[in-house]
Amino acid sequence: MEALHEETPFDLAFHPSSPLVATSLINGDLYLFRYAAESHPERLFLANAHKDSCRAVRFVDSGNVILTGSADCSILASDVETGKPIARLEDAHENPINCIVCLTETTVASGDDEGCIKVWDTRERSCCNTFHCHEDYISDMTYVSDSNQILATSGDGTLSVNNLRRNKVKSQSEFSEDELLSVVVMKNGKKVVCGTPSGALLLYSWGFFKDCSDRFLGHPQSVDTMLKLDEETLISGSSDGVIRLVGILPNRIIQPLAEHSEYPIEALAFSSDRNYLGSVSHDKMLKLWDLQDLLNGQQLVNDDKLREQDSDDSDDDGMDVDMDPSSSKGSRSAKAGKSQSSGVTSDFFADL
């Protein structure tokens, strides 16, 4: 199943209970589709959500509201039935917003191009936490509910652990040789896996975040997005357009699952029932894959790009310790963005 957009989609999100999927586009538009088996997704609406690129989209309020973040520094709440704006926070960040992640039923987090992370509480209708530990754009975030912490990766080449209860940065890795683009938590919370532009996956042991404990060189190009399938395996989306099934400890490319296109994959997402895997790419196409068919190898993939390199690492974490890195931070410039003053945030969620 696939649907063509007028411009390049940056992100996608599935509804938490209904067969709906939303996409956000480079021109600021928001699309909503209804999907069903054996048919092309039906477009329900197209909304001109932002005046600048719409980089992030998530469903909140039990799926009644679509939240989008933009390079125009605003966060918009739109009605899922009509696509009409409910509330807009014009100056949610001082710099362009790059990603949004849902934390709980009543909280979300957003990250911007200058490394700032903000947490929004819908009950208090305000920003309740702010973290400033990164020097470049926030590329990805994931929420660890057991410890109430946000893990964030950044273009400055570091991984941060942000404690929501104490409102402080608990830990931050040393600068790696590469930018960190994506993050998932694996092995029952024992390992954190980060994707990089070189194609290497960096593995960090929980509690030992200063330096990675392992590097897995299995991808030929940049690993821009990842999804955790289970505690042992993840699904990666690479800039070569291939979606792969990857094993963690032992580290190996299990198999290529599908080839979206020859262009980089911007985002991956699971449907709420885990029956479908969604992908968006620079070919302007949203593709919905039957997940079980992918795992059963029913998609034909011309994967000359695949370079499988198994790591010699094992499940033994006994020797995972923090090391003093010898490399210093490389020269990386942050994404250019509009600098705007922060506005009043107290009434943003009043109408939700």
Side-chain angles (χ1 to χ4, degrees):
M1 296 186 292
E2 57 188 36
L4 182 65
H5 298 80
E6 296 178 4
E7 297 291 344
T8 302
F10 272 168
D11 199 11
L12 80 158
F14 283 90
H15 192 277
S17 58
S18 300
L20 303 174
V21 58
T23 54
S24 58
L25 273 62
I26 190 173
N27 64 348
D29 286 348
L30 169 66
Y31 282 64
L32 183 68
F33 297 92
R34 183 185 304 278
Y35 61 90
E38 307 301 330
S39 64
H40 289 291
E42 173 193 3
R43 193 178 79 185
L44 300 182
F45 66 70
L46 185 165
N48 301 118
H50 296 274
K51 59 186 178 182
D52 226 329
S53 60
C54 188
R55 298 177 176 178
V57 59
R58 290 294 182 270
F59 285 93
V60 297
D61 190 23
S62 301
N64 294 318
V65 175
I66 305 174
L67 210 62
T68 51
S70 171
D72 63 15
C73 305
S74 72
I75 294 177
L76 173 67
S78 302
D79 185 86
V80 73
E81 297 289 340
T82 64
K84 294 182 178 179
I86 299 174
R88 184 189 298 270
L89 182 59
E90 290 291 353
D91 298 309
H93 284 252
E94 295 183 1
N95 298 282
I97 297 168
N98 199 53
C99 59
I100 293 176
V101 63
C102 294
L103 308 181
T104 67
E105 287 291 327
T106 57
T107 53
V108 297
S110 54
D112 69 26
D113 274 3
E114 292 299 322
C116 175
I117 300 171
K118 290 188 176 184
V119 179
W120 307 92
D121 191 324
T122 59
R123 297 165 303 180
E124 298 296 331
R125 304 171 183 175
S126 65
C127 176
C128 57
N129 299 81
T130 303
F131 302 97
H132 296 276
C133 63
H134 293 286
E135 300 177 6
D136 209 331
Y137 68 98
I138 302 298
S139 55
D140 195 13
M141 295 184 288
T142 188
Y143 177 60
V144 183
S145 58
D146 292 345
S147 56
N148 198 24
Q149 297 180 127
I150 299 173
L151 300 186
T153 51
S154 171
D156 64 11
T158 67
L159 166 71
S160 68
V161 183
N162 305 278
N163 191 298
L164 295 175
R165 188 173 294 109
R166 298 182 179 180
N167 195 25
K168 64 180 293 185
V169 179
K170 183 177 181 180
S171 182
Q172 187 171 11
S173 71
E174 299 289 348
F175 294 106
S176 65
E177 299 176 358
D178 242 337
E179 300 175 14
L180 301 185
L181 302 179
S182 48
V183 59
V184 291
V185 180
M186 306 287 293
K187 310 296 285 189
N188 296 302
K190 294 180 180 179
K191 291 290 181 178
V192 178
V193 184
C194 299
T196 67
S198 67
L201 297 183
L202 305 187
L203 277 67
Y204 294 84
S205 295
W206 190 268
F208 298 88
F209 292 108
K210 287 300 179 183
D211 196 11
C212 65
S213 59
D214 189 29
R215 293 172 61 91
F216 171 41
L217 307 176
H219 292 79
Q221 294 185 33
S222 172
V223 182
D224 300 321
T225 178
M226 297 186 295
L227 290 177
K228 175 181 175 179
L229 182 63
D230 55 40
E231 297 300 335
E232 315 295 329
T233 52
L234 62 84
I235 295 176
S236 66
S238 178
S239 60
D240 64 357
V242 176
I243 302 170
R244 294 174 172 86
L245 184 66
V246 182
I248 299 298
L249 296 177
N251 300 329
R252 64 192 185 99
I253 303 292
I254 298 174
Q255 66 185 60
L257 296 179
E259 184 170 9
H260 182 111
S261 70
E262 61 182 344
Y263 301 106
I265 296 173
E266 282 289 341
L268 297 172
F270 289 128
S271 61
S272 59
D273 55 11
R274 306 266 287 197
N275 286 336
Y276 294 99
L277 171 70
S279 61
V280 291
S281 176
H282 292 190
D283 64 350
K284 304 180 182 179
M285 195 75 72
L286 162 69
K287 293 189 177 182
L288 303 181
W289 312 87
D290 186 294
L291 184 57
Q292 200 57 50
D293 285 352
L294 292 183
L295 297 177
N296 290 338
Q298 295 184 21
Q299 292 290 333
L300 297 177
V301 181
N302 179 18
D303 196 36
D304 294 335
K305 308 167 186 176
L306 181 62
R307 302 173 186 176
E308 182 174 332
Q309 297 181 4
D310 289 351
S311 172
D312 294 332
D313 203 353
S314 68
D315 284 312
D316 184 9
D317 294 337
M319 297 302 292
D320 287 332
V321 295
D322 282 350
M323 306 293 291
D324 292 329
S326 58
S327 61
S328 60
K329 177 190 175 187
S331 58
R332 304 183 184 95
S333 59
K335 286 184 179 178
K338 301 176 182 177
S339 178
Q340 300 183 9
S341 60
S342 179
V344 179
T345 64
S346 60
D347 61 347
F348 173 47
F349 294 101
D351 296 326
L352 299 190

